[in-house]
Every structure is written in structure tokens, then in C-alpha cells.
Amino acid sequence: MSQGVRLSQSERRNDSCIEAHPALENRRISVPSVPPFHVIISQQRRFWLFPRVVIRCLPFFVLLVCATTGLSTTTFPLQGGTTSLSTTTTTATASTSLSASPTNPQSPVINTHGLPIKHHLPSKPTTASSETSSTAKVSSTESASQTSSSSTSTTPSSSKPEPTGNTNLIPPNNNNNNNEEEEEEEIQTNDVEEDEDSEDKDDEKMNVVDDQKFKERIQSSIRTVQNWETVEWLKDCRSIIPWDELKNETGPYSRPEEDRMIADDSNALFLQRLCRWFPKFMTWVNAPPCVKCGCKECEMKTVRGPETEEEKEGNAKRVEVYYCPECKENTTTFPRYNNARKLLETRKGRCGEYSNLFGLFCRAAGFETRLVLDLSDHLWTEVRIGDNWIMADSCEGIIDKPSMYEYGWGKDGLCYMIAIASDHVVDVSPRYSRKFLTDDFQTRRRTHTTSENATAHILRELNQNLQRNLPKAALDELDRRRRLEDAELQICKQSTEWTAQEKYGRGRISGSLAWKRRRQEDGQKGAGSEGDKSNAREVAGFEIEYFMPPWTDELSLCIRPKPLGRHDGIVVGGTACAIGEADSISVVVVDEKCLGCILQSKSFLTWEDTKEFVSKLPPHRIVLMNGKCEGGSKTSSAGFERLGGWIGTEKYISESGIAFIGQVDAHPDWVYCSSLEDCSTDGYEIVLKANATLPELVMKTERCARPPKVAGRLPEMAMPMKTQLLANDEQKRLAFTSFSETAKSRYAGYTTRPGAPVYLLDTQSYPVSRLDTASLNVSAKDDVWNTFLYLPKPLVPDDDNGIQSATKNASDMPAFDVPLETTFFNNSLGAKLISTSMEYLPTHQALHNARLVGYYFSAHWCGPCRSFTPMLAEMYAHLKEERPTHGLEIVFVSGDRDASSFSQYYRTMPWLAVPFEHLQAVKGALNATYGVRGIPSLVILDAVSGQVVASANETRQSVAMACRGGERQIESLLDSWLQRVPQETTEILSMLELSCNELEPRIPSNHEKANPYLLLETKKDQPMDTAARIKEFFEKLVAEGSDPTAAAAKAIGLVAEEQKAGNKLEPGPLDGMAVRMGPISPARTVEHYLERAVDWNSVVSVKESLETAMKYLKNAEKEPWAPKFRSFKLSNKVADRITKLEGGLGLLETLGFDIFATNQDFKAVIPIAMDLEATNQRLAQLVEKLNSR
């Protein structure tokens, strides 16, 4: 076949029409179908020996010939090139036919891999314009190399400096892949005259997909992020951060009401304040003023590369040149610096500079930080809070609002959003869009990469480079996070609309109005305002509402009109339990029999829903109510007559909301009812005297559930740590129940999972939550958190006996069937295979539910085969035991010469085989297709698509190494193969898994709503409204013989007297039980928790735990920006000195530490805002106090 023109690397462009494997390098150039003397092509591939200038000019000469003669075009492949030039044609027949090779007009073009390449369709006829203009419109981009769907820069970049930063893992390049946004601006150029129509044509020709450019843009951003690890820069940033202002609850960046929902997480709260401060630290530049006259009407003239030493040192890939209408000169430049240290000096820019420098500040503060590169021209950061990555937009001062760009700003061009850290990259696009699976969204993605497989391949390659030298522990943690995030992103892909809770409807703040409108980011197309709740649920509640706080002889009931955190608007027995949704009424129901047990916690958006709920409550339940409805939902007090002491008038309800503590169908002497305005700012507390004896409690099992915090672990005396890690659920349950009998009800229950300690629960462990779908999808069915709570007997099913141990079986595997590519495997292997029992099975049945299919080419006469087969059989047997379905299936393709040898050899194998009589029909084709040149050979295929996952060249060695490494290495090898399946396969299987989770959820459904202990089965008769009551009296008086007119007047009077007297209720069983009423008691001090820890443990063990905490703080002081020193697992050997201590974690929390849960373990965190030196000094004082004892 004829060969095309070979271009230099700088001239190459990718061809968007090639849909073969992304690794294919063939590209095409269109040349006219003219006599051979116009184009001489050497069959010996010597064409590139022509002078370089001739080669470079030839394509444009061809285009000129086509345009002037109307010749049709023919497609030739370019070997190794990445540029495709398509010519125009005025021939009608050419415009409706596919191009063909020059030697055979009907034959397809074939690449070097022997695969056909799809042809170009000739472009539509165009008309050249002779009109010229003194001004040309030039698209200005924040990144000179950033490719858009409409134009691509052709300016050479060889003169521009290399990017700075750590390039050990990512090689430098000369492309201007500046990690900054694109802008659409019109630049007036008076010194260059161009033919606009010609320029448009060139742009169209160069508008091609280039996977390499996509990769290089990410590499450039990786270097930016790696520079954030420069110690000197981190120190400089820490010296600039206004720590005192950001920590101050009344400081300029504190908004208590707005931040209440994140106030329970000190790191999230600090990040929000840091994000508010940063726009005040920086200066947004729409256009710089003239450096000569100060004119503020300068317009961008052009863009150039760096010229001065300052521009080069600041790594300014682009320098914007501005024209001053007053001075009539190009007087002002605006270098777009990529060097974050330089940005600390200039403190100005747009979102490229903002995201770069803010990422450095986040790292300096101590956050794990990623840069999010939005190819639709924006950048922001993601920060790791707990076990999740949340967005932080420093331009807007907003965190954790991923819907802001699509829903709030109304951005229509979202396509790729790549999160970039120093040790990994990930495509997080589904997190920021609910249109990911739409045709438009996928079409936009194809303007940057050739396919989803190409994207996955690029990201996988980058991750391998970044993680090449990381230790095993770091790789394991990255893999855990990857699987968790992949599951979360897969859920986002399936979502087609933002929920009411997710919607953030405000348009963009940063930038001028004209600039925002030009970019269509002013929010005019948003679906609603920030407060749009038209689709919000009318009722919200915790998944697991009930909770019995550790029992004491007194019960505290608290109401806070201005909560400090999300849930502390209502506190029962020290447990913050309000739902806490904004503009809603939080209602908590407490058991009066098992005093203090929280039965229900709900939130209502309307008073009508609240009244309906209260009407169904059993008599004498304690009710705490706090909040108001959005917009002052109006209603009368009728319907709340069952609440003794309710004095809520329309003013209370509609205008300011209400705070209430009382009982249903009872009016005790301690009832409290007030408007939120009249309630003390410090809140109101009622303390009730409890019964002297502990109520009867039994343990309830909550499968796939986990608390937000724990109080510690089961002490050594109850069960040693090593035993806890190995014990089964029955053994752990027995150990806890034995311990709780001696612990005097200090704990509300426990939580655990296989391989984890028995963690104890206290008042901080509410609410217990079901594991989210992402956590379930990355965990084995028998390797999830289960929680066990002490509750009143009516709440616990009779058949609740805890978690019963069971051996692993096929039911533990995914419930969905793998969609096998039946036609492919039937054609490849034949219609039937044989099993080890020599039974003939249909191919699709034999390969049922295999994720991977291996073709094993081997023969009995081959010595290496006889050595390799037992090793492969060992691997196969282990994988079948661990993954009986959704794993690997192997098919033996024999090279034996006779049926007897085949049968003798196959008896040593545990897998399937192609029948000997069918081998002649399939073996030759299989050998040729998969390049089998010797045996033994193993080829691994994806069962869904039939594509090669691992070739014969690599599998033999990898299997041998895995078998030598043991079972763990064998499983890792299988996992590595599964990660290499096509992206489409991953998408299909994830969708199937999500569908099965919805149809057959692994989480048991709540059956408590039907429990009569919680709600009455039928409504209690409700008081009639005023009109109905008057009618009732009227009919009664008329029946007694009264005159209708007189009866009507008397009926009205009777109802008035009845309403005046109010609904009279009995005092109830808890009347006179209050021991204190008034403002909420002050919080307990560190000294209180220290004394409690000493009472429960020895002085020596308490001292040891405090000294351990000091060691963690000293490590954090050495490198306060290092996240690895700011969190530690509670189960690790060192931290266990604190965890095993009763009251140890409570003491730690009063000192400022945080506790949070991951899908793997619980962690203690040193908050970013903690004063490390002051806390260390405080710990030293406590240790000294213990030494004096």
C-alpha cells in the first residue's frame, strides 16, 4: 500500500475520525486524485528524503490545487504522524462518497496493524472571500495550548521556557499547557492584516482531537501541583495566613448561621473561612490599568511569550499585551504567572492564578489538596475532609457546592474535569454534572480525546508514573480511596438531576458582568435561586432514629434557639439529636417509660405536617420542638391541643418559630413553651429525675451501619486487641455484653467489622447511619461495619440474634449476571466447550458470569508447558475459591497432535477446553489473531467486549511471579487485569450493580414505621375546628328545643368559653420530676474528663495516653503542612494507647482533637486550626498534674 507524507513531531495533529485503538499511530492526509506526476510516492518509504521545505509546503500546495481545479480528494495514511489535512471539493459526486486508497478506489485504507481506518467524509463546499479587514478577531485563551472545539492555536511554542517544578515523575514539555482557564475576548490588532475567511479555514483544518495534547495538559498541571510541595513556599504561605481571624468565632470571616451545617467539622469550617479570606487577599484583574497614564479602559492587543527575566522566572507562559486608548500605545502587559511563589508577590490574576495560589495555601495549612482542571475553561481545588474530597472555589469563596457550575452558573460546555494531586489523577466530571451520560456531554468529551478508553489509558499511565516509587502502604491507601471514589462517581453518573439539597443556584461572582455574560456564567440560565426548595422533601429524618444514651439517674433535655452546630438545636441526655435543616421544624420524641431513649428525630417544612405527626404519637411521649418554617408558614394552634402547655399563637408559629419541651396528652409542671425570639440565647434546660433502677434493655443489630464517632475500644481486660482483630461476631458480642455488666451502662452499644476492634459508643455516636452505596460497592458483603445498640425491648425484633458467621459462598458475589459477548466467543471458540467431566456445554453457558476469559495455548509434548500448567492451575484454584463467579475462566486451546495426548494432558487441568475435534477449525485463527508464536501462552480477554486485556507476551511471566508471591499477589494480579478492561465494560457493570442494589438492597429496610410503640396505628380523635364545634353545640341545643336563633348565639358563646378555658390535660406521670429548670449548664471542662479517665483507669495509663498525644502533636509541629502527621488510625499500635483507655478519646476531644469514620477504620485528627504549641503545653500541664499524684 502506498505510504503518505511523514511530518515532524511539531507538525503532527491527531485525526478525530480514527476510531481504532488509541495506540494506533496511523494518520491520514487528503491529496487530490490527479495523475501520478503531481505526487510521487515511493513504495520503499523514501519520500521523506525530499528537502524538508518541499515536504512542509506540499500539503498546502495540494489544497491550493484542489481549490482552483475542483479536484476530488483521496485519503492517504501518514505513518507516525498526528496531523490530518482535509481538502475541499466542488465535485458533487465526491461530496457524497467515501475516500479510497489510490491503488484501489473501492478498498479501505489499512493501517500498519492490519485494521481498517474509517474514511473522512469530504467537507462541504466553501467560498473564498476576498474581503480583508484592518482588524482581525483573535481568540484569547488563558492557556495558549488549550484546545477548544472551535479553534486550535498553530503558533510554535519552541521559544517558550520549560515549566518549572518537580519533573522527576512527569517529563517536561514545551507546550504551553498552563493550568489556567480560557477566555473568549475580541482583540483588535492594527499591525497585522489577515484574511478572516482564510483564518477560519485554517482553524477548521486544525480542529482535530489529540490525545497527546490532553495528556500534556494534565502533565503541566501535575507539575504545578508538585510545586506546591516546595517547603520554602509552604512556610511563606503559613506566615501570611491570618490564623487568629480565621479561628475567631466572631471574626470577619465567620458566619455562624450560614456555617452551622458544617460547624461540627472543624476542618471544613476552617476551609470555608480560608476560602472567604482568599478573594480579599487577591485582586481580580479584568484588564490592568495603563502603567503610564492609569487609564482603566485598556483593551487586550495581543498575546506573546515571556521576554523579560521576571516573566521567565515567574513561568509566565502567556503575556497579555494591552493597548491604551489615551496613550495610543501598547503600554501595559499582564504576565500570566504559573509560579505560585511569584503569585505571592503579585497577588493578582484570574481563576488560573487564584486556584494555583489557593491550592498552595491549602497545602500550607495542612490540607490534602487537588487541582481541578476544567477543560471548559475554569479551575478550582478539591480538599480532602474526612474520607471525602470536596470542592473549594477560591474565586467565589464557596466550598462543597458541586452543582454551582452547571446549575448555578448555567455552564453548558462542561466536558472534562480532571482532579490532579501530586500522587494521582482522576476524572471527576460526574461529580460536577448531572448530564454526563447525555449525547451532548459525550460529544464534547470527544473534542479532547478519541474515546473513553483513551482517556482511561492516559489517566492509568499517568497514575503509574506518579505512584512508581511509593511505598506499599501508600499504594494500598490510594487504592482504597480510588475504589471508594470510583463507586461515588459511578452513582453520580446515573443521576440525571440535581436534588433539592444539592442545588446551588447563584451565578458567578468573580469577574466583570460583561466578562461573565460573555462566558455565559452569570447564572441567567440557572434553574432557580439558592433557596429553591420546590422539590424538597416535606419530611426528613435520620435513617436510624432511635438511640439510648448511656443511662444516668438524671435526664437532661435542652433546647438551643441558635444552635452552634448542625444537630445541637435539641440535646437529650447529652446527645445532640436535632435534624437541624434550615427553615424547618425539628421534632424529637423521647420515651417516657425507658426514660431518655430517643425514639424519633424528624424535620418538617410545614406546620401541617408537624401537626399530623404529633397527632399519631402515643400518650405521654416527651416531645422537644425547635425551629420555624420557611417564609413563616401560617397556621393556627388548633391541632396541637395534645401537647400539654402548648401556647403557640399565630405570632409564635408564623413569625419567629417556637421552642417547646413537653408531653403528649399530659401537662406536667415543668413544660416549657416560648418563641425563639423570647428564648434565652444560651438555650433552656430541664433536668428530670430518672428511676433508680436501670430499665430493661436488649441489643438490636443494625447491619451495614456505622456511627460518626466512637468512645474508644473494648479494654484489654475484656478482650485483648489481637484477639479482637481475629474474633468473629459471636465472640465479640459475648465479650461486650460481659464487659457492659461491669461498666455500669457507660456505653450505648458497639460497632465492629471483621479485622477491626470492638469500638464502644457513647453520646457522641449519634446518629448511626446506613453505609452509603459507594462504601457498600467497595466492600465485601461480609466485610462491612455492623452496629449493635441497647434499646427498649419493644424496638428489637424477637429473632435478632446478632450477625451469624457464615462461610463464603457464591451468594456473596454480585447479584447481576455478566453480559457475555456471546457471538464473539461462539465465533472464536466454537459453539461448545468441554468441562473437566468431559461434558459438552454451550459456550455461553460454560463462560457464564466470568469477568475475564483466558485462552491457554499449551500442549503435552512441550516441556515448559508441563512446568507452567501446574502453576496456572494453582492460581486458578485459588481464584475460584475466592471468586467463584465474576472472576477468571480459562479455556484450554490444545496443541497436541492426537486425541489421546489431548485427553491425557487435559486430565491435569481444572478448567474448560475446546473439544479436540473442533481444534482444527479454530486454532489457526486464534494463533494468528492473538500473535501466538510459541507455547505456553495465555491471553486474557474481557468477557463483555472480547477485547484483549493482557497479551501472551506478558502473562506468562506475571503469572509465575504472582504464584511465587502467594495468594495476595495472585489476587492483585487478577485485580490489575480487571482494571485494564475497556471503560465501556466498567460503565456497563457498574450500572448493573447499581440496579441490583436498588432492586435487592443489601441494607434491610426500616420496619419501625409499622411499630405501634412508635406511632399509633390509627389517628386519635382530633378536636374539631371552631365551625364544626359550633355546629355540634347548635344541633344539640336545637334538639333540646331551643330557638334556632338563640341556639346559634349560645353555641358561639359556649365555643368561646371552651377556647378561653383551653384544653385541660392531666399532669401526667412525670409531673414533679424536674430537679432543675433554666439556662443550659456550662460545658464540662478538660479537668472533668481527666478525673473521669483516672477513675476508670490507672494514673499510669492516663499519663501514657497524654504523652502519646504529645508525640503526635510534636510530629505535626515539625511539618504542620503534612497531612500524614495530622491523622492516625485508632487501631494502630501507637494510637491504641489512647483508644484502649476508657474515656481517653473523650479527653482527647475536649483538648481539640476530632474523630471521624472511614469505610476502613476510625481516625483521630489534629485540626488545621489547632494551636499546636498551646495544645502541647496544655498536655504537658496535665501530665505534670498526674505526676504530682
Side-chain angles (χ1 to χ4, degrees), residues 520-537:
Q520 296 183 338
E521 295 174 353
D522 57 349
Q524 297 301 313
K525 292 184 291 183
S529 64
E530 178 182 353
D532 181 13
K533 296 186 178 181
S534 58
N535 295 321
R537 294 181 300 173

Side-chain angles (χ1 to χ4, degrees), residues 483-485 487-489 491 771-779:
R483 289 185 288 112
L484 191 65
E485 188 168 28
E488 174 206 341
L489 294 173
I491 295 170
L771 295 179
D772 57 46
T773 305
S775 297
L776 289 173
N777 285 345
V778 300
S779 303

Side-chain angles (χ1 to χ4, degrees), residues 644-646 663 665-671 1063 1065-1068 1071:
W646 177 273
Q663 276 189 280
D665 294 338
H667 191 162
D669 56 356
W670 44 263
V671 70
N1063 186 23
L1065 299 172
E1066 297 296 325
D1071 187 59

Side-chain angles (χ1 to χ4, degrees), residues 733-744:
R733 187 184 185 101
L734 180 61
F736 174 78
T737 52
S738 300
F739 166 72
S740 62
E741 292 176 359
T742 62
K744 299 180 181 178

Side-chain angles (χ1 to χ4, degrees), residues 863-933:
C865 293
R866 293 195 300 271
S867 300
F868 182 72
T869 298
M871 191 183 304
L872 183 61
E874 175 189 351
M875 170 180 167
Y876 178 84
H878 175 70
L879 292 178
K880 276 297 182 183
E881 180 181 350
E882 288 297 312
R883 306 185 190 186
T885 66
H886 294 70
L888 171 67
E889 189 54 73
I890 295 178
V891 179
F892 172 42
V893 182
S894 176
D896 291 303
R897 299 181 177 95
D898 56 71
S900 176
S901 299
F902 167 81
S903 299
Q904 180 182 354
Y905 191 30
Y906 182 50
R907 281 196 292 268
T908 67
M909 301 177 183
W911 43 69
L912 303 166
V914 177
F916 183 79
E917 59 270 23
H918 297 163
L919 283 170
Q920 187 175 2
V922 301
K923 187 173 68 171
L926 292 176
N927 287 339
T929 301
Y930 300 110
V932 178
R933 296 182 176 86

Side-chain angles (χ1 to χ4, degrees), residues 1113 1117 1170-1181:
L1113 287 175
E1117 280 189 273
M1170 177 183 282
D1171 189 326
L1172 301 177
E1173 183 178 356
T1175 306
N1176 227 335
Q1177 292 176 356
R1178 182 69 172 123
L1179 283 167
Q1181 293 173 359

